[in-house]
Amino acid sequence: PGRPRSIRADEAIIEATLDLLAEGSTIEALSIEAIATRAGVGKATIYRRWAGKDALLLDALRRLKGVMAQPAGHSVRDDLVLLVGAIGKNVDPRAAKIMPCLAPAVNRSADQFQLYQNIISPRRQLMREVLRRGIDEGVLRADIDVEVTMALLTGPMLIQRVLQWNPDLDEQSLPERVVDAVLEGIRSR
């Protein structure tokens, strides 16, 4: 019963949230009132859609991260290259301004840490599944530490894409180079 939800309002609210974050608002300072004002809706409109700021942030940041890469399942190497290539790669230009600002919030607040984990956890799980499939298929050594291997694959991409650590590295070939270097140490002999 009642009037159907406006998809336009949903979009405006998410966009307002991302715009405010990209313009420098911290997660702590971001308010439902500011989002409502920017989106041109009432606060009640937001609360009808999301239980609170954390739920809205989760949806907004998931949108910013984009759709998860889906491994084809034919080759462990190719699947890892796909997943590693997606790390820190965002089609939304606001991500370059927002994502680096999340680290302090994640480190200061248990709530923000959990928000970040909720976004990243499904992506980590995909990589974990590919590595375990590699072990099951005998492509990777059975004794590898899957969690450390994920950190080895993820770290170089994050530091390069988020911090632009080495401007001389070729971003197009980096995922393959990282995966090949790590595979050299964990491949079954």
Side-chain angles (χ1 to χ4, degrees), residues 61-90:
L61 294 174
R62 277 188 180 140
R63 165 89 58 85
L64 188 66
K65 290 292 294 169
V67 177
M68 283 193 307
Q70 293 300 315
H74 303 299
S75 156
V76 169
R77 180 195 178 272
D78 291 349
D79 289 350
L80 289 173
V81 169
L82 175 75
L83 294 174
V84 168
I87 295 169
K89 187 175 187 179
N90 302 290

Side-chain angles (χ1 to χ4, degrees), residues 74-140:
H74 303 299
S75 156
V76 169
R77 180 195 178 272
D78 291 349
D79 289 350
L80 289 173
V81 169
L82 175 75
L83 294 174
V84 168
I87 295 169
K89 187 175 187 179
N90 302 290
V91 292
D92 191 319
R94 294 174 293 192
K97 294 178 181 176
I98 295 171
M99 297 313 278
C101 298
L102 292 180
V106 166
N107 291 321
R108 283 193 307 260
S109 161
D111 290 340
Q112 299 315 318
F113 176 80
Q114 191 56 53
L115 174 72
Y116 175 74
Q117 294 304 316
N118 290 342
I119 294 167
I120 298 303
S121 183
R123 296 165 193 275
R124 266 198 319 260
Q125 185 58 31
L126 267 178
M127 187 177 288
R128 193 176 286 120
E129 288 168 6
V130 170
L131 290 169
R132 287 189 179 134
R133 189 181 84 230
I135 293 168
D136 292 345
E137 293 174 358
V139 174
L140 304 179

Side-chain angles (χ1 to χ4, degrees), residues 1 12-13 26 37 39 47 55 69 73 95 103 121 132 142 149 186 189:
I13 294 164
T26 64
T37 299
Y47 285 117
S121 183
R132 287 189 179 134
T149 301
I186 65 172
R189 304 281 178 211

